[in-house]
Amino acid sequence: MSDNDLIIISYEDRNVFKQDSPFDNSYIEKMAIIELTEEDMNKNDIKDDENILVYNDNGEVVVKAKKMEEGDVGIASMPKGPWFSVLLPNNIEDFYKHINAKIKKTEDPITTIEFIFD
Amino acid sequence: MICLGCSCLCDDLEFKNEENKITVGNACLKGFKRIDAFNKNRLISSINKKEASIDDAINKTIEILKNSKKSAIFGLENSVLEAQNESIKLGEKTGSIIDNFSSVYGGYLINRFLDGSVNTCTLDDVRDNCDVSIYWGCDPMSTHPRLMSKFSYYPRGKNRQRGWEEDRYTIAIDARKSLTANITKKFIKVSPGRDFELFKAFKDVLSGKLPKIGDKKLLMNVGTSIKKAKYGVVFVGDGLDYSMGYMNDFIDLINDIGFKLQPVMDCIGFNKLLFERFRYINSIDLEDKSYAKDNSIFNLLKGDDIDSILIVESDIASYLPHKIAKKLKDINSIYIGPHSNLTAYLSRINIPSSISGVESGGNAYRMDLKEETAEKVIDSEFLSQYEILSRIGEGL
Ligand code: SF4
């Protein structure tokens, strides 16, 4: 397992509501993120709020890195939603279990919903 | 006022509309947003992304369903029973497959809950009697924000007068330190996908053996509290379902130790309705009333069996793998709901509806299957989901 290999678990963000538009900046700011431990950030030379590419065999997506308050090295978390869905396997048996992905720093902008779905 | 914001169905909301200024008492933020968003991000009636009248959108839907070789109806987890019943009637007319979110997660547990093979209780029993509650793979502080303050942790119950300070012991078991884990008295962190091993460790502790994994002292300590419980309840969410996969042993253990089990999931009301009619809770082909795994939304969108789908107030596209969600663009997809979302964005037809329990009334089941009646509190021009579905049904 290399430094940029991670297990990602998903969660429901209590500050995201069914009534929110997925195109609003406030929605994107809350949903297009990955929470990482300080150790994983340091290992990959990533700072809080920097854009990072998260990728696996199912797809890739650019989101913002956020420092996790408390967590285990090698385990990251993302809110359930359009950005996390890019990394999910097309197999119902594995669907929504934790998933494996890699990360790397990028200068690319946050992936838009239009880019994912159009 | 009853809140339909989640399956807690809080019945103590105080709604006031004075000089066009709305105030809501007692609601959590999620419940408040449901009411306050009556004039925000509303779905606009459209056909192929072009604005259209509601009549035209409904007529186009009728035409699609008439010409469809095989259609599906999905969602209604947040709808009232009247709309859910109407969707079944509509599906019987069109010979559609009917499915909901429980085919994605939680279905097995809900099935066992509904077939009576799981010990359960009402939320009022929880408030009055519960002294040990376990939150396994669920985070009610995020998803059902008043569950703990109204029922399971903070209130003084008839037989729990010293409340959370002395009378109630709470344990969260999760892969991450959730908001719920932040307030419970104990938190057991489980490695992703290792719930079954933790469950076996608990089984050892409860039968007097040393656990083979985890923080032994913590597990023994929690095990002692479980053994001493007079009225224990386990609240279970999707997190456990993803990880555990096979739930029978888990349910047996809960039954053996005399705990009650309560799924913290919103589709349970519609599941009950379907279960009573068909003995299945999802993935039902209404043409011959049969169940098949292939009838789940996941498999339907992955395969080619349906050419049209009617989705009612369920943002499924935000949760499915994106390649599968994108399939909504390739078939005749119709979205009915009060607000715009990703599923509406991918659907060919959008039909706006009223907000159930705010702009239209109806009945709904709480997570413990208590039935409540929600009244309309705001006038609006939008048709209810029940009215939209019956108009489509009549047109067929
Ligand atoms: S807990 Fe659920 S039902 Fe109660 S006010 Fe909040 S959203 Fe509404």
Side-chain angles (χ1 to χ4, degrees):
Chain A
M1 190 157 162
S2 60
D3 279 355
N4 66 347
D5 270 317
L6 291 171
I7 289 175
I8 305 180
I9 51 177
S10 61
Y11 64 93
E12 222 149 295
D13 186 330
R14 80 177 256 148
N15 294 311
V16 174
F17 303 96
K18 285 180 190 141
Q19 297 78 18
D20 293 344
S21 163
F23 298 100
D24 276 358
N25 283 340
S26 63
Y27 178 89
I28 299 164
E29 274 162 23
K30 284 179 267 188
M31 297 296 272
I33 61 160
I34 182 165
E35 291 180 17
L36 300 162
T37 60
E38 197 167 0
E39 290 90 329
D40 284 321
M41 284 182 131
N42 292 340
K43 267 198 259 175
N44 290 283
D45 188 27
I46 292 167
K47 292 190 183 60
D48 210 22
D49 269 339
E50 275 183 346
N51 288 5
I52 61 166
L53 180 75
V54 189
Y55 60 104
N56 64 12
D57 290 346
N58 306 310
E60 55 178 56
V61 70
V62 178
V63 294
K64 258 197 196 321
K66 299 275 173 196
K67 195 164 85 192
M68 209 185 260
E69 276 174 26
E70 202 184 315
D72 295 328
V73 179
I75 301 181
S77 53
M78 284 178 82
K80 277 178 201 156
W83 287 270
F84 181 63
S85 78
V86 173
L87 305 164
L88 288 171
N90 281 3
N91 174 351
I92 196 156
E93 271 71 43
D94 298 327
F95 175 66
Y96 264 119
K97 294 188 173 165
H98 59 275
I99 53 157
N100 295 87
K102 288 175 183 285
I103 50 169
K104 79 176 169 217
K105 234 168 132 153
T106 179
E107 298 285 307
D108 291 344
I110 303 292
T111 312
T112 61
I113 295 244
E114 290 89 337
F115 184 82
I116 300 172
F117 290 97
D118 283 349
Chain B
M1 172 187 178
I2 306 270
C3 175
L4 303 187
C6 75
S7 55
C8 284
L9 297 195
C10 296
D11 58 1
D12 58 351
L13 268 59
E14 286 165 6
F15 174 88
K16 272 192 209 137
N17 188 357
E18 285 164 348
E19 290 163 20
N20 280 335
K21 194 173 178 304
I22 284 175
T23 51
V24 185
N26 294 337
C28 69
L29 191 54
K30 184 173 180 167
F32 174 71
K33 287 272 179 185
R34 188 174 170 89
I35 302 165
D36 189 52
F38 75 94
N39 57 5
K40 294 185 187 97
N41 188 31
R42 293 306 292 255
L43 189 65
I44 291 167
S45 180
S46 65
I47 301 172
N48 294 326
K49 304 261 176 233
K50 287 200 188 81
E51 218 172 305
S53 71
I54 295 203
D55 285 346
D56 285 350
I58 288 177
N59 288 335
K60 186 74 188 162
T61 301
I62 295 166
E63 188 191 314
I64 287 172
L65 291 177
K66 268 186 184 164
N67 295 322
S68 172
K69 286 201 184 76
K70 192 73 187 172
S71 58
I73 296 173
F74 182 84
L76 293 120
E77 301 91 6
N78 300 294
S79 306
V80 292
L81 295 174
E82 292 76 3
Q84 293 168 347
N85 263 319
E86 207 55 29
S87 75
I88 298 173
K89 267 198 220 161
L90 177 62
E92 285 181 320
K93 262 189 193 171
T94 48
S96 303
I97 289 164
I98 195 157
D99 190 38
N100 54 73
F101 225 96
S102 67
S103 72
V104 179
Y105 68 72
Y108 183 76
L109 185 66
I110 295 176
N111 223 327
R112 294 281 308 262
F113 184 78
L114 291 171
D115 75 11
S117 60
V118 169
N119 282 336
T120 186
C121 58
T122 66
L123 290 180
D124 306 286
D125 292 333
V126 173
R127 185 194 52 233
D128 286 341
N129 303 306
C130 180
D131 59 346
V132 177
S133 55
I134 303 175
Y135 306 85
W136 197 326
C138 63
D139 178 18
M141 286 304 288
S142 296
T143 59
H144 296 71
R146 294 182 72 210
L147 177 70
M148 296 175 87
S149 60
K150 246 176 97 67
F151 299 106
S152 66
Y153 195 18
Y154 294 115
R156 313 276 153 196
K158 222 181 259 165
N159 302 310
R160 296 286 166 250
Q161 283 299 313
R162 279 167 292 148
W164 70 278
E165 302 97 317
E166 289 180 36
D167 269 354
R168 300 196 203 261
Y169 185 78
T170 46
I171 307 141
I173 303 174
D174 212 328
R176 66 191 287 274
K177 192 154 190 197
S178 62
L179 288 174
T180 301
N182 270 321
I183 60 166
T184 53
K185 290 188 176 151
K186 292 279 182 241
F187 169 50
I188 301 174
K189 192 187 269 176
V190 55
S191 305
R194 295 281 178 84
D195 289 80
F196 195 71
E197 285 163 47
L198 180 69
F199 154 76
K200 283 201 285 190
F202 260 124
K203 218 172 161 179
D204 285 342
V205 170
L206 294 173
S207 56
K209 294 182 205 148
L210 269 180
K212 291 190 185 72
I213 61 146
D215 179 339
K216 294 188 174 58
K217 200 172 152 205
L218 174 64
L219 291 180
M220 301 285 284
N221 186 309
V222 169
T224 308
S225 306
I226 292 176
K227 278 193 219 166
K228 280 202 282 190
K230 293 193 181 70
Y231 200 105
V233 182
V234 185
F235 293 91
V236 179
D238 52 356
L240 178 64
D241 197 34
Y242 300 151
S243 175
M244 194 83 92
Y246 184 69
M247 302 278 288
N248 276 338
D249 288 356
F250 174 76
I251 293 170
D252 288 348
L253 180 71
I254 302 297
N255 283 344
D256 287 350
I257 60 173
F259 267 54
K260 324 278 180 206
L261 200 138
Q262 175 63 60
V264 186
M265 296 168 191
D266 283 343
C267 48
I268 206 154
F270 191 29
N271 290 148
K272 175 176 155 65
L273 210 62
L274 291 167
F275 187 81
E276 281 168 353
R277 288 282 305 275
F278 308 107
R279 307 307 287 172
Y280 303 110
I281 61 167
N282 55 40
S283 315
I284 306 162
D285 190 336
L286 293 174
E287 205 172 324
D288 57 5
K289 320 285 187 263
S290 65
Y291 164 88
K293 256 190 175 177
D294 282 349
N295 292 338
S296 72
I297 182 85
F298 193 101
N299 289 324
L300 287 177
L301 291 178
K302 202 173 163 183
D304 292 313
D305 289 345
I306 54 164
D307 54 18
S308 56
I309 185 164
L310 180 74
I311 302 172
V312 185
E313 202 179 347
S314 186
D315 187 17
I316 186 67
S318 289
Y319 295 93
L320 289 177
H322 78 295
K323 284 180 196 142
I324 289 183
K326 268 165 115 168
K327 185 78 181 287
L328 288 174
K329 297 200 312 178
D330 303 334
I331 59 174
N332 286 311
S333 44
I334 302 125
Y335 184 76
I336 300 172
H339 295 98
S340 184
N341 56 27
L342 185 59
T343 308
Y345 175 69
L346 297 178
S347 297
R348 291 187 182 173
I349 298 183
N350 285 182
I351 308 177
S353 74
S354 60
I355 307 170
S356 313
V358 178
E359 296 168 326
S360 54
N363 293 310
Y365 287 118
R366 202 165 71 174
M367 66 171 82
D368 59 351
L369 304 179
K370 182 180 182 215
E371 192 169 344
E372 297 278 12
T373 304
E375 307 284 346
K376 155 182 166 169
V377 291
I378 296 176
D379 286 329
S380 94
E381 71 209 32
F382 294 103
L383 296 173
S384 68
Q385 291 167 8
Y386 166 80
E387 288 168 316
I388 295 168
L389 291 166
S390 22
R391 274 185 59 181
I392 296 171
E394 281 157 21
L396 289 162

